[in-house]
Amino acid sequence: MVVVMKNNSTPEQIKSVTKKLEKLGFKTHIIHGTKRIVIGAIGTREDLETMNLERLPGVERIVPIMKPFKLVSREAQETDSIINIKGVNFGGNNITVIAGPCAIESREQLLTAAHMVKKAGAQVLRGGAFKPRTSPYAFQGLEEEGLKLLREASQLTGLVTVTEVIDERSLNMSMDYVDILQIGARNMHNFQLLKVAGQSGKPILLKRGLSATIEEWLMSAEYIMAEGNNKVILCERGIRTFETYTRNTLDLSAVSLVRQLSHLPVIVDPSHSTGNTKLVPPMSLAALAAGANGLIIEMHPDPSTALCDGHQSLTPDELNLLMKRVTRMLEVLSDDSAVEMEDVVNG
Amino acid sequence: MVVVMKNNSTPEQIKSVTKKLEKLGFKTHIIHGTKRIVIGAIGTREDLETMNLERLPGVERIVPIMKPFKLVSREAQETDSIINIKGVNFGGNNITVIAGPCAIESREQLLTAAHMVKKAGAQVLRGGAFKPRTSPYAFQGLEEEGLKLLREASQLTGLVTVTEVIDERSLNMSMDYVDILQIGARNMHNFQLLKVAGQSGKPILLKRGLSATIEEWLMSAEYIMAEGNNKVILCERGIRTFETYTRNTLDLSAVSLVRQLSHLPVIVDPSHSTGNTKLVPPMSLAALAAGANGLIIEMHPDPSTALCDGHQSLTPDELNLLMKRVTRMLEVLSDDSAVEMEDVVNG
Amino acid sequence: MVVVMKNNSTPEQIKSVTKKLEKLGFKTHIIHGTKRIVIGAIGTREDLETMNLERLPGVERIVPIMKPFKLVSREAQETDSIINIKGVNFGGNNITVIAGPCAIESREQLLTAAHMVKKAGAQVLRGGAFKPRTSPYAFQGLEEEGLKLLREASQLTGLVTVTEVIDERSLNMSMDYVDILQIGARNMHNFQLLKVAGQSGKPILLKRGLSATIEEWLMSAEYIMAEGNNKVILCERGIRTFETYTRNTLDLSAVSLVRQLSHLPVIVDPSHSTGNTKLVPPMSLAALAAGANGLIIEMHPDPSTALCDGHQSLTPDELNLLMKRVTRMLEVLSDDSAVEMEDVVNG
Amino acid sequence: MVVVMKNNSTPEQIKSVTKKLEKLGFKTHIIHGTKRIVIGAIGTREDLETMNLERLPGVERIVPIMKPFKLVSREAQETDSIINIKGVNFGGNNITVIAGPCAIESREQLLTAAHMVKKAGAQVLRGGAFKPRTSPYAFQGLEEEGLKLLREASQLTGLVTVTEVIDERSLNMSMDYVDILQIGARNMHNFQLLKVAGQSGKPILLKRGLSATIEEWLMSAEYIMAEGNNKVILCERGIRTFETYTRNTLDLSAVSLVRQLSHLPVIVDPSHSTGNTKLVPPMSLAALAAGANGLIIEMHPDPSTALCDGHQSLTPDELNLLMKRVTRMLEVLSDDSAVEMEDVVNG
């Protein structure tokens, strides 16, 4: 960390700051700049929050140097994490597709959806049993009944399953029914839930918050890993910006960057981010080109009757077509690695 | 709601849309525009989410007309809600000040703080027992021990108390110890917690989410009121923008506007929004001038030793001075109502 | 347009509003909603700005229905615009790559760059002669001397050229030297410059403003087309958000959407949007997958000595490798159109 | 500046970076952190842009320490700048109010407006002759005819005048007719215009850009001052955020902060920022409480017929009432300085 002193700070103030830093276990380096004194302090960043150096006389501001995440960082683990769930792998060179309806509405709806997801070639079935809704008057999910249907769909099709949990109760209830627990965008900052998710030992699909920075997103993954659970799959789902023509702004640079900063797999949700079925196919391909390890796509057997998010759900035919295009994209991307290899060898 | 049809939609498509709308209980009006057909549909907005009209052939987009909030709206109740908590009133012409440390750290720290808050003239004591922290490695609060200290501080000073709850467990634990339960910015979209808060019957201080729209904020209040709890105090605490010189961007226009849209009291948190003690006094006065019903201010007996947010905590002396300035501001604001009255009478 | 009346508006107020609308040439439809009166008004949107209906007694708000852009819209022209510049095509199924240094620094630097751009297979050479810089103390460009070098580079290599113009003077000066005039992000709202650009008749590369909505971006293109110049190439270059790990947030959904809303070609600038050379290759591929018609990439013969933006400039080797990957991506994307065709035929 | 090296950087890489820094005239300090090497470099920040240190092998990132603005900074001048224009002062303890119509529409409209502005007690008359409009089809201003009317209005009332200029031509045309030249939000990044404004020697009202950071805003003022023109008045007019219930988000913390960072006067535009006349009075008072040196307010003799922005223009009666409230607020704010004085003396 760097402590920037005010341009009129006194020698006593500088002494007092270095003393406090050293008392806290930091080594200090005083640098006499052209206009002001700057103190370099060597230590670990988490101490920062309890030091309140800005309140010491003469201090102008603190500039942190180190990134705060540890376990999730590429520096902690150089190679990609590969998360194996009943034979389905997330991470590394695998491209994994999750598909299914926003909400589980009925046995017929879910089983039909599951068969279509299977047929299209996706590996994981999604379906919401607990729905966080902006309006208290909207459909809130089938809860345990939905979880049972999800398990049944999995048994019939062999698909791995994922469902969103919204609190400790729904998390506990889901443990025996589903394979992956999703923490939604609105709960990315629900640190209590992150801890319980970490303790559960289950694979966790962690969506980025609506206005979460990349740093905060990785710190939420750090919460889960700090409890000893390494099975974290990150999911970019669009951030909130001033643009209103799309529901959110899908941040694909974040995907590329997080692949560099962290060893964890990152997938992309083109359905919630755009809120527009016409944008789902191009954004799916773009996500893979940007380096995403997979996709999570809303598909409904009959979107126009869906109880939730029908406007952004693909039909089964649209999913089929998209999966074909995904397969082609995979070929070029692996060819592409070949190009890179060849160039490195030759060049 | 207005359904905008594509410019090349067919008469069959239009018929199919109006049929669906009428089946759902809407009355429809077809308007032949210069370039396209528009269908006005009369009904209530919450049905919108489950209708998926965008998926019907020929439909371009849906434009909602009505605001989705009901119970919180000025239309539901014209006069200001006044929330009385042990004799302290929030709302109407009352200006109510909450002050105290970010986190409860020790008996001595809290009792000292409480006496200083009392002496400065604030009516409510804040103190965090459960701390949602971005880093899993940071101090997380004293929990029940902290709540007991808060109750003791209240008994000694007569101050009303508020503490943040972060899940069902901490909410239940806080019921007997504190007077007001705070739902923090990171939990504003935690609908499960909002429901439980509504069922608790306790006064709720509901902070606006980091990137919540005014509409979403009011819908979260609607969640609490929909459970039969009318004692909701809203709190603006800054929103996330591109600006990095301030921690968040305090949105005072939102305060003025919410006072017009809703009957609920709205207070302002100048400490978290700015993250800078030098901005706390001017932003406090600005908040009151903008129409806020009160303030929530971080104060610590010795900010440079605080375990949390010391950099944005006032000292007791700074709080004293601020309270004097608040009192002067109140005089001009009530004088000001006089000006307005006089003008209305004369003009 | 829809005029929403207040819930307590009087019949006289409603009459007065409809009268005003009709006087202005609108046809009106009164719709009696469950809670309030809504007036549908049929006309064209640009009148809106001068009508001030919100100031009429009883009016709550105005909801526009029509999009304000006309000439740039897909409704005005169904087929893609293809802009031919000395044999190089932008738009339709063409993928066109612009590359070169941020700033023209010297004859040697530019000619070296031009040969490398040519060799890598890009079709257009970029190079800044007028540099809009945040700091008045930074390098501001070689001006006319730079333009002459650009023309020379074009004559030697056959590359088409583009340079940014920043006011009427620099635009006029550039007319005889370069093939495409760029309007930068900071000038997207410089309506005076847009008009002059429209009158120039030259192909215009119009970058999206740092915080411009898609609608505003298209309206700026409309300014150019309204002067009779159809040769507009749009360029997405990242928008400003709260995220600080990337310089801007590249908005690829906007690219897909604009391809649907408009007939104009859209290219992507992965260099300025990310500010990070490691993100340039994945974002380039992602842009093409999202439907972009081309790329504009910063390349410098020796980035570590560049006078401007060296940190985001590729080396010639990196550009070469990227162009190989672009070519592979094109194959899959055209294959992909084949998939789609086949599916449409079969299903 | 601080250069953070990668955790696996080699001694040769570190040597090469320090060598380059020293060659560029920096003094360097190597700090051995717990996980990586950090190099402190002492020099001036503007060199940063042309050094491209991120491209040197082993470098992770650059952390600037110094703020880039110089002349506009409080460090360059401790006392408030007071800008005297024909006896009207901006800055220091003065509160100065500018009012008038968005656009000059006719002789009658402007003269009526001017008399009402005078009568209400404001000191400066605003009126647009060159209107930057989002749509090319909207009213664009009376140009020189409007400027003549503005001069006439000034001669009749003694009011100082301000008008927006949008390019070099309109700036030159305005020189003889008006007292203050306004650079609008959309031109804050038009560096060419800023330079010409600096060379003009006229007082400049510099609006903050729609999405300009505080740093960029101050750098634009630096452009004007770097040309030798000290008469810069800053104007906060709302920034673009995700919130759609208000037109922009008025950033009053920026006003307080800029008053601390710079010696230049800062005024606030509550009309454009909110886009809602009901929010203009509370936001005006809040701006003054936040430390603004004045206001710029849209007022139209008959807002419902205004050719531009009528929906956010006050009526003359509303302006009168607001000016009374402003006067009361001034009393409390000067009293308030008294409170502070007294406390400093006693405490």
Side-chain angles (χ1 to χ4, degrees):
Chain A
M1 145 185 57
V2 167
V3 181
V4 183
M5 300 299 293
K6 287 181 185 157
N7 66 339
N8 56 4
S9 60
T10 64
E12 289 70 35
Q13 289 173 339
I14 294 158
K15 207 179 217 168
S16 149
V17 171
T18 52
K19 232 176 172 173
K20 169 146 190 182
L21 283 166
E22 281 159 12
K23 210 174 123 195
L24 287 159
F26 285 80
K27 277 192 253 172
T28 59
H29 273 69
I30 296 186
I31 304 177
H32 292 264
T34 48
K35 292 208 179 151
R36 64 191 70 206
I37 300 283
V38 158
I39 305 170
I42 300 159
T44 52
R45 181 170 154 167
E46 64 265 40
D47 298 312
L48 231 103
E49 295 201 43
T50 53
M51 289 191 325
N52 302 303
L53 295 164
E54 288 96 337
R55 294 294 297 181
L56 290 181
V59 173
E60 186 172 296
R61 69 205 161 95
I62 305 301
V63 182
I65 299 296
M66 304 300 301
K67 303 252 187 289
F69 38 89
K70 301 176 192 306
L71 302 172
V72 303
S73 139
R74 272 266 175 226
E75 296 185 12
Q77 181 186 317
E78 268 193 42
T79 56
D80 285 358
S81 278
I82 293 178
I83 298 169
N84 182 308
I85 305 158
K86 293 188 176 171
V88 170
N89 284 320
F90 282 88
N93 294 320
N94 303 287
I95 299 292
T96 318
V97 179
I98 304 172
C102 170
I104 303 166
E105 297 166 15
S106 68
R107 186 167 183 274
E108 195 198 332
Q109 174 246 19
L110 188 68
L111 296 189
T112 310
H115 284 295
M116 285 158 166
V117 164
K118 178 82 180 177
K119 196 180 141 207
Q123 301 97 321
V124 185
L125 175 67
R126 57 156 293 159
F130 308 92
K131 301 303 305 171
R133 304 302 290 273
T134 309
S135 166
Y137 312 116
F139 174 64
Q140 313 262 332
L142 294 183
E143 307 214 338
E144 191 156 13
E145 190 193 328
L147 296 175
K148 286 179 183 165
L149 294 172
L150 204 52
R151 185 175 57 182
E152 185 181 352
S154 171
Q155 287 162 344
L156 289 171
T157 59
L159 289 167
V160 165
T161 55
V162 59
T163 208
E164 179 172 358
V165 295
I166 55 176
D167 58 4
E168 206 166 335
R169 189 184 69 96
S170 58
L171 185 148
N172 288 332
M173 203 187 280
S174 304
M175 287 296 287
D176 293 336
Y177 293 112
V178 294
D179 302 312
I180 307 173
L181 304 179
Q182 177 183 315
I183 308 278
R186 288 182 179 75
N187 278 313
M188 193 209 82
H189 274 131
N190 186 337
F191 304 117
Q192 216 49 33
L193 187 57
L194 295 172
K195 280 186 210 169
V196 180
Q199 290 152 7
S200 77
K202 277 267 185 185
I204 305 295
L205 180 64
L206 178 65
K207 290 203 158 185
R208 181 181 184 185
L210 264 77
S211 68
T213 61
I214 291 173
E215 186 170 302
E216 289 172 338
W217 187 21
L218 291 175
M219 285 308 285
S220 285
E222 186 85 18
Y223 255 95
I224 298 169
M225 289 191 73
E227 300 289 334
N229 186 349
N230 299 317
K231 288 170 274 179
V232 181
I233 303 157
L234 298 167
C235 179
E236 157 66 26
R237 45 78 72 211
I239 57 173
R240 181 159 280 180
T241 68
F242 58 81
E243 180 57 64
T244 57
Y245 272 29
T246 46
R247 197 203 239 196
N248 297 288
T249 297
L250 184 60
D251 183 6
L252 289 182
S253 342
V255 173
S256 276
L257 190 58
V258 169
R259 290 294 317 271
Q260 294 173 20
L261 294 173
S262 174
H263 52 86
L264 295 173
V266 189
I267 68 170
V268 166
D269 178 343
S271 306
H272 281 89
S273 51
T274 63
N276 179 341
T277 48
K278 280 190 212 148
L279 297 178
V280 170
M283 287 304 106
S284 295
L285 301 181
L288 299 179
N293 298 102
L295 300 166
I296 176 164
I297 292 167
E298 294 208 350
M299 185 276 277
H300 192 283
D302 181 5
S304 69
T305 67
L307 292 183
C308 147
D309 283 349
H311 60 278
Q312 70 196 26
S313 294
L314 298 187
T315 62
D317 282 352
E318 288 166 343
L319 181 64
N320 261 326
L321 179 53
L322 174 57
M323 287 303 290
K324 284 192 193 173
R325 299 174 72 182
V326 163
T327 309
R328 298 261 183 154
M329 177 61 72
L330 291 191
E331 285 164 22
V332 80
L333 290 175
S334 43
D335 271 17
D336 185 55
S337 317
V339 171
E340 213 160 342
M341 247 350 189
E342 173 196 327
D343 266 73
V344 169
V345 171
N346 298 339
Chain B
M1 148 184 55
V2 167
V3 181
V4 183
M5 301 298 292
K6 287 181 184 158
N7 68 336
N8 56 4
S9 61
T10 63
E12 287 70 36
Q13 289 173 338
I14 293 158
K15 206 179 218 168
S16 150
V17 171
T18 51
K19 231 177 173 173
K20 170 148 189 181
L21 283 166
E22 281 159 11
K23 210 174 123 194
L24 286 159
F26 286 79
K27 278 190 254 175
T28 59
H29 274 69
I30 296 186
I31 304 178
H32 292 263
T34 47
K35 292 207 179 154
R36 63 192 67 208
I37 300 284
V38 158
I39 305 171
I42 298 160
T44 53
R45 183 172 152 168
E46 65 263 43
D47 298 312
L48 230 103
E49 294 200 44
T50 52
M51 290 191 323
N52 302 304
L53 295 164
E54 288 95 337
R55 294 295 296 182
L56 291 180
V59 172
E60 185 173 295
R61 68 202 161 96
I62 305 301
V63 182
I65 298 296
M66 302 303 299
K67 302 254 185 288
F69 37 88
K70 301 179 192 305
L71 302 172
V72 304
S73 139
R74 272 266 176 226
E75 296 185 11
Q77 181 187 316
E78 268 193 44
T79 57
D80 285 357
S81 277
I82 293 178
I83 298 170
N84 183 307
I85 304 158
K86 293 189 177 169
V88 170
N89 284 320
F90 282 87
N93 294 321
N94 304 286
I95 299 292
T96 317
V97 179
I98 303 173
C102 170
I104 302 167
E105 298 167 14
S106 69
R107 186 167 183 273
E108 195 199 331
Q109 175 246 18
L110 188 68
L111 296 191
T112 309
H115 285 295
M116 285 159 166
V117 164
K118 178 80 180 179
K119 197 182 138 205
Q123 300 98 321
V124 184
L125 176 67
R126 58 157 292 159
F130 308 93
K131 300 304 306 171
R133 304 302 290 273
T134 309
S135 166
Y137 310 117
F139 174 64
Q140 314 261 330
L142 294 184
E143 307 216 335
E144 191 157 13
E145 191 194 327
L147 296 175
K148 286 179 184 165
L149 294 172
L150 206 52
R151 185 175 55 181
E152 186 182 349
S154 171
Q155 287 163 344
L156 288 171
T157 57
L159 290 167
V160 165
T161 56
V162 59
T163 209
E164 179 171 358
V165 296
I166 57 178
D167 58 4
E168 205 165 338
R169 190 185 67 95
S170 57
L171 185 147
N172 288 333
M173 203 188 281
S174 304
M175 288 295 287
D176 293 336
Y177 293 111
V178 295
D179 302 311
I180 307 173
L181 305 178
Q182 178 184 316
I183 308 279
R186 289 183 177 75
N187 277 313
M188 194 210 82
H189 274 130
N190 186 338
F191 304 118
Q192 215 50 33
L193 188 57
L194 294 173
K195 279 186 209 169
V196 181
Q199 289 152 8
S200 77
K202 278 265 184 185
I204 305 296
L205 180 63
L206 178 65
K207 288 203 159 186
R208 182 180 183 185
L210 265 77
S211 68
T213 60
I214 292 172
E215 185 169 304
E216 289 171 339
W217 187 21
L218 291 175
M219 285 309 283
S220 285
E222 186 86 17
Y223 254 94
I224 298 170
M225 288 192 73
E227 298 291 334
N229 186 350
N230 299 318
K231 287 171 274 179
V232 181
I233 302 158
L234 299 167
C235 180
E236 158 65 24
R237 47 78 69 211
I239 56 173
R240 183 158 276 181
T241 68
F242 58 80
E243 180 57 65
T244 57
Y245 272 28
T246 46
R247 196 201 240 193
N248 297 287
T249 297
L250 182 61
D251 184 5
L252 290 183
S253 343
V255 173
S256 276
L257 191 57
V258 169
R259 291 294 316 271
Q260 293 172 20
L261 294 173
S262 173
H263 52 85
L264 294 173
V266 189
I267 69 170
V268 166
D269 179 342
S271 306
H272 281 88
S273 52
T274 64
N276 180 341
T277 47
K278 282 191 212 148
L279 297 178
V280 170
M283 286 305 107
S284 295
L285 301 182
L288 299 180
N293 299 102
L295 301 166
I296 177 166
I297 292 169
E298 294 207 351
M299 186 277 279
H300 192 282
D302 180 6
S304 69
T305 68
L307 291 182
C308 146
D309 282 350
H311 60 279
Q312 71 196 24
S313 294
L314 297 188
T315 62
D317 282 351
E318 288 166 344
L319 181 64
N320 261 327
L321 180 52
L322 175 57
M323 287 303 290
K324 285 192 193 174
R325 298 173 74 181
V326 162
T327 309
R328 297 260 182 156
M329 178 61 72
L330 292 192
E331 284 164 23
V332 80
L333 291 173
S334 42
D335 271 15
D336 184 56
S337 317
V339 171
E340 214 158 343
M341 248 351 190
E342 174 197 327
D343 266 74
V344 170
V345 173
N346 298 340
Chain C
M1 150 183 53
V2 167
V3 181
V4 183
M5 301 298 293
K6 287 181 184 155
N7 68 337
N8 56 4
S9 60
T10 63
E12 287 71 34
Q13 290 173 337
I14 294 158
K15 208 181 217 165
S16 151
V17 171
T18 51
K19 232 179 174 169
K20 169 147 191 183
L21 284 166
E22 281 159 11
K23 209 174 125 194
L24 287 159
F26 286 80
K27 278 192 253 172
T28 59
H29 273 69
I30 295 185
I31 305 177
H32 292 263
T34 47
K35 293 211 178 149
R36 64 191 69 206
I37 299 285
V38 158
I39 305 171
I42 299 159
T44 53
R45 183 172 153 167
E46 65 262 42
D47 298 313
L48 229 102
E49 294 199 43
T50 52
M51 290 192 324
N52 302 303
L53 295 164
E54 288 95 337
R55 296 293 299 183
L56 291 181
V59 173
E60 185 172 296
R61 69 204 160 93
I62 304 301
V63 182
I65 298 297
M66 303 302 299
K67 302 256 186 285
F69 36 90
K70 300 178 191 307
L71 303 172
V72 304
S73 139
R74 272 268 175 225
E75 295 185 13
Q77 180 186 318
E78 266 192 44
T79 58
D80 285 356
S81 277
I82 293 178
I83 298 169
N84 183 308
I85 305 159
K86 294 187 175 170
V88 171
N89 284 320
F90 282 88
N93 294 321
N94 303 287
I95 299 292
T96 318
V97 179
I98 304 172
C102 170
I104 302 167
E105 298 165 16
S106 69
R107 185 165 184 274
E108 195 199 331
Q109 174 245 21
L110 189 68
L111 296 191
T112 310
H115 285 295
M116 286 161 165
V117 165
K118 178 82 180 177
K119 197 182 139 205
Q123 300 99 320
V124 184
L125 175 67
R126 57 156 292 159
F130 308 92
K131 300 305 304 173
R133 303 302 290 273
T134 309
S135 166
Y137 311 117
F139 174 64
Q140 314 261 333
L142 294 183
E143 308 214 338
E144 190 156 13
E145 190 194 328
L147 296 175
K148 286 178 182 164
L149 295 172
L150 204 52
R151 184 175 56 182
E152 185 182 351
S154 172
Q155 287 163 344
L156 288 171
T157 57
L159 289 167
V160 165
T161 56
V162 60
T163 207
E164 180 171 357
V165 295
I166 56 177
D167 57 5
E168 206 165 336
R169 189 184 68 95
S170 57
L171 185 148
N172 288 333
M173 202 187 279
S174 304
M175 288 295 288
D176 293 337
Y177 293 111
V178 296
D179 302 312
I180 307 172
L181 304 179
Q182 177 183 316
I183 307 277
R186 288 182 178 76
N187 278 312
M188 193 208 84
H189 274 130
N190 186 338
F191 303 119
Q192 214 51 32
L193 187 57
L194 295 172
K195 280 185 209 169
V196 180
Q199 290 153 7
S200 77
K202 277 265 183 186
I204 305 295
L205 181 63
L206 178 65
K207 288 204 159 185
R208 181 181 184 184
L210 265 77
S211 68
T213 61
I214 292 173
E215 187 170 303
E216 289 172 339
W217 187 22
L218 291 175
M219 286 309 284
S220 285
E222 186 85 18
Y223 255 95
I224 299 169
M225 291 192 71
E227 300 290 333
N229 186 348
N230 299 318
K231 289 171 274 181
V232 181
I233 303 157
L234 298 166
C235 179
E236 157 65 25
R237 45 82 69 214
I239 56 173
R240 181 157 278 180
T241 68
F242 57 81
E243 180 57 64
T244 56
Y245 272 29
T246 46
R247 197 202 238 194
N248 297 287
T249 297
L250 183 60
D251 184 7
L252 289 182
S253 340
V255 173
S256 277
L257 192 57
V258 169
R259 291 292 317 271
Q260 293 172 20
L261 294 173
S262 174
H263 52 86
L264 295 173
V266 189
I267 69 170
V268 166
D269 179 343
S271 306
H272 281 88
S273 52
T274 63
N276 179 341
T277 48
K278 281 191 212 149
L279 297 178
V280 170
M283 287 305 106
S284 295
L285 301 181
L288 299 180
N293 298 101
L295 300 167
I296 176 165
I297 292 169
E298 294 208 350
M299 185 277 278
H300 192 282
D302 181 5
S304 69
T305 67
L307 291 183
C308 146
D309 282 349
H311 60 278
Q312 71 196 25
S313 293
L314 297 188
T315 62
D317 282 352
E318 289 167 342
L319 181 65
N320 262 328
L321 180 52
L322 175 57
M323 287 302 291
K324 285 194 194 172
R325 299 173 73 181
V326 163
T327 310
R328 297 262 182 152
M329 178 61 71
L330 292 192
E331 285 164 22
V332 80
L333 291 174
S334 43
D335 270 17
D336 185 56
S337 318
V339 172
E340 213 159 342
M341 250 348 192
E342 173 197 329
D343 265 74
V344 170
V345 173
N346 298 340
Chain D
M1 145 186 55
V2 167
V3 181
V4 183
M5 300 298 293
K6 287 180 184 156
N7 67 338
N8 56 3
S9 61
T10 65
E12 287 70 36
Q13 290 173 339
I14 293 158
K15 208 179 217 166
S16 149
V17 171
T18 51
K19 234 177 171 172
K20 169 147 190 181
L21 283 166
E22 282 159 11
K23 210 175 123 193
L24 287 160
F26 285 80
K27 277 191 253 171
T28 59
H29 274 69
I30 296 187
I31 304 178
H32 292 263
T34 48
K35 292 206 179 154
R36 65 191 69 206
I37 300 284
V38 159
I39 305 171
I42 299 160
T44 54
R45 183 171 155 167
E46 65 262 42
D47 297 312
L48 231 103
E49 295 200 44
T50 53
M51 291 192 323
N52 302 303
L53 295 165
E54 287 96 337
R55 295 293 297 182
L56 291 181
V59 173
E60 187 173 295
R61 69 204 161 96
I62 305 301
V63 182
I65 298 296
M66 303 302 300
K67 303 255 186 287
F69 37 88
K70 300 178 192 306
L71 303 172
V72 304
S73 139
R74 271 266 175 223
E75 296 186 11
Q77 181 186 317
E78 267 192 45
T79 56
D80 284 359
S81 279
I82 293 179
I83 298 168
N84 182 306
I85 305 158
K86 293 188 179 170
V88 170
N89 284 319
F90 281 88
N93 294 320
N94 304 287
I95 298 294
T96 318
V97 179
I98 303 171
C102 171
I104 302 166
E105 298 166 14
S106 68
R107 186 166 184 275
E108 193 198 332
Q109 174 245 21
L110 188 68
L111 297 190
T112 310
H115 284 296
M116 285 160 165
V117 165
K118 177 81 180 178
K119 196 181 140 206
Q123 299 99 320
V124 185
L125 175 67
R126 59 156 292 159
F130 308 92
K131 300 305 305 171
R133 305 301 292 273
T134 310
S135 166
Y137 311 117
F139 174 64
Q140 313 261 333
L142 294 184
E143 306 214 337
E144 191 157 11
E145 189 194 329
L147 295 175
K148 287 179 184 165
L149 294 172
L150 204 52
R151 186 175 55 181
E152 184 182 351
S154 171
Q155 287 163 343
L156 288 171
T157 58
L159 290 167
V160 165
T161 56
V162 58
T163 208
E164 180 171 357
V165 295
I166 56 177
D167 57 4
E168 207 166 335
R169 190 183 68 94
S170 56
L171 185 147
N172 289 332
M173 203 188 280
S174 304
M175 287 296 287
D176 293 336
Y177 294 113
V178 295
D179 303 311
I180 307 172
L181 304 179
Q182 178 184 315
I183 308 279
R186 287 183 180 76
N187 278 313
M188 193 209 80
H189 273 131
N190 186 338
F191 303 118
Q192 215 50 32
L193 188 57
L194 294 173
K195 281 186 208 168
V196 181
Q199 291 152 7
S200 77
K202 277 265 185 186
I204 305 296
L205 180 64
L206 178 65
K207 289 203 159 186
R208 182 182 184 183
L210 265 77
S211 69
T213 60
I214 291 173
E215 186 169 304
E216 290 172 338
W217 188 21
L218 290 176
M219 285 309 284
S220 286
E222 186 85 18
Y223 255 95
I224 299 169
M225 288 192 73
E227 299 289 335
N229 185 348
N230 299 317
K231 287 171 273 179
V232 181
I233 303 158
L234 298 166
C235 179
E236 157 66 25
R237 46 78 73 212
I239 56 173
R240 182 159 278 181
T241 68
F242 57 81
E243 181 58 64
T244 56
Y245 272 29
T246 45
R247 198 203 237 195
N248 298 287
T249 297
L250 182 61
D251 184 4
L252 289 183
S253 343
V255 173
S256 277
L257 192 57
V258 169
R259 290 292 318 270
Q260 293 172 21
L261 294 173
S262 173
H263 52 87
L264 294 173
V266 189
I267 68 169
V268 166
D269 179 343
S271 306
H272 281 88
S273 52
T274 63
N276 179 341
T277 47
K278 279 190 214 150
L279 297 178
V280 171
M283 287 304 107
S284 295
L285 300 181
L288 299 180
N293 298 102
L295 300 166
I296 177 165
I297 292 168
E298 295 208 349
M299 185 276 279
H300 192 284
D302 181 5
S304 68
T305 68
L307 292 183
C308 148
D309 283 349
H311 61 279
Q312 70 196 24
S313 294
L314 297 188
T315 62
D317 282 351
E318 288 166 344
L319 180 65
N320 261 327
L321 180 52
L322 174 56
M323 287 302 290
K324 285 193 195 173
R325 299 174 72 181
V326 163
T327 309
R328 298 261 181 153
M329 177 60 72
L330 291 192
E331 285 163 23
V332 80
L333 290 174
S334 41
D335 272 15
D336 186 53
S337 316
V339 170
E340 216 159 336
M341 250 345 189
E342 172 196 329
D343 265 73
V344 169
V345 172
N346 299 338

